[in-house]
Amino acid sequence: MLRWLALLSNGPIPMSEYSGIGSHRGMVFDTHRNNMYCAAIRRVVTPGSVVLDLGSGLGLHGLFAASLGARHVYLVDPSPVMAVAREVARSNGLNENLSFIQERIERVQLPEKVDVIISVLTGNFLLHEDLLPSLLHCRDRHLKASGVMIPDQASMLAVPVTAGGFFKENVDIWSQSPHGIDYHCVRQIAANSVYFPHNEIGAECFLSEPVAAAHMDFTSATGASCASQVRFDITRADTCHGILGWFDMRLDGECLSTSPAAPPTHWSQMFFPLDPAISVHPGDSLELRLDRPAFGDWSWLLNHGKQSQKHSTFLARKISPQALRSQLPDHKPGLGIAGRLQRDVLTLLARGYSNAEVLRSVEPE
C-alpha cells in the first residue's frame, strides 16, 4: 500500500515487465544485437554529440556512447532498474555528462535537442508491445532536424511455414480430453492467439520465399500500424500450419535481422496459426491480409484458391456484452470502487496528508 501511495504521489509509472533484473539479462548479453548496435554507435557518435538512449534499461548502449566521449547522454526509462544503471555507470567510472531519467518519454522535458536517438523500442514482429509510438513522439520532440536515429528503418517480413510439432503443442492439443474433461471449446481461442517461437520454427520450414509485409521509416513515420496484403508463391508440397513473421532493422546502413535464418537475438519471431491447417503444392498461391492498428488486435485473413479463413486475437479472449459496451465512445463509465479510492487518496495527498494519515483515512474500519 505504501509503494502504491508513493507512485500516486510523485513516482513514475513503472513498466512492470521490465522492472526486474531478470528481464534485462537477455538484452544485456545479446551479443549479436549489441555488437551491431555498438558498431553503429561508434560510427555515429562524436565527442560533440548529445545522445538520448530511449528505453535504456541497464544502460548498455547509452553508457557505450558515453565511453566514446559523447558530450552528454540522457538515459530514459520508466523502469526502477534505472537505479541499477546509475550504479553500473558509477562502477565503470562514467559519472560525468550523464542524466538518468526514470520516466516515460512522453513526460520528459530535456534542456536541449539531441543529435542521436538510440532505441530498442521494436517489439517482436516490430509492433508487439506498442513501443514505437513512444519512439515517434521522442523523435518529434527531442531530435534535432539534422539528428540521427539508431535504428532508422525496419521491415516486417512474413512467410508461410509447416510447423506440425509447434501447432500440435499450442493449438491441436486443445482437442484432447485430459482426465475425461473435454477442452475442445478452447481450441478456437488458441487458434486466434499469436505465439512467439524463439527460432523453434527454422528456415527449413519455409514454404515460399519471405515477403515484406510492411516497411517503416522511423525518421518520417506518423503512426505504428499494419494494413498489408501480400502474396506467397508456394515452392514445395507440404502442410501449412501458419504464417511466421519477424523484422529486419537498419542500424546506420547495416541490417540486423530477427529471422530464424539469422544469428539468434533476444527477440522472438511471431507465429499466426491457421486452423485448419491447409495442404499446399508448388505453383499454389496464398494471399494474406494482415491488419494491426496501434494498440489494437492482430487480424489475419488467408485465401487459398476458393478456401478462406480469418483469425483475430480479438477472438482469443472472451468479452462480455457489458465489457464491449463500456468501450463505446458515448459510454459514461463513472468511477468504480478502485477509482473512488484513488480519487480520495489523491485528494488527501494534495492536501498534504502523510502516508500514515492517508492510510488511516481510507482503510476500512
Side-chain angles (χ1 to χ4, degrees), residues 21-43:
I21 294 300
S23 60
H24 292 266
R25 183 181 62 247
M27 292 180 280
V28 170
F29 297 102
D30 187 338
T31 303
H32 178 63
R33 181 197 76 163
N34 293 331
N35 282 347
M36 293 198 67
Y37 261 87
C38 288
I41 294 168
R42 187 184 296 276
R43 291 191 297 269

Side-chain angles (χ1 to χ4, degrees), residues 41-121:
I41 294 168
R42 187 184 296 276
R43 291 191 297 269
V44 168
V45 172
T46 68
S49 296
V50 178
V51 178
L52 195 163
D53 184 359
L54 178 62
S56 56
L58 290 180
L60 177 63
H61 299 147
L63 297 181
F64 182 72
S67 74
L68 296 175
R71 178 166 67 82
H72 200 94
V73 179
Y74 297 94
L75 297 97
V76 180
D77 197 300
S79 168
V81 299
M82 285 293 283
V84 183
R86 187 188 296 272
E87 180 62 28
V88 171
R90 187 181 300 115
S91 67
N92 281 272
L94 299 170
N95 299 319
E96 298 180 358
N97 305 325
L98 293 171
S99 296
F100 295 85
I101 305 173
Q102 186 186 336
E103 185 58 275
R104 292 184 60 87
I105 188 62
E106 290 82 358
R107 300 177 182 176
V108 170
Q109 292 186 347
L110 299 181
E112 58 187 328
K113 296 278 190 177
V114 304
D115 300 290
V116 183
I117 293 176
I118 307 167
S119 74
V120 290
L121 297 191

Side-chain angles (χ1 to χ4, degrees), residues 1 8 16 51 60 77 171 176 217 223 240 258 278 319:
M1 182 68 169
L8 284 177
S16 57
V51 178
L60 177 63
D77 197 300
V171 179
Q176 298 181 17
D217 185 337
C240 179
T258 61
I278 58 176
I319 304 178

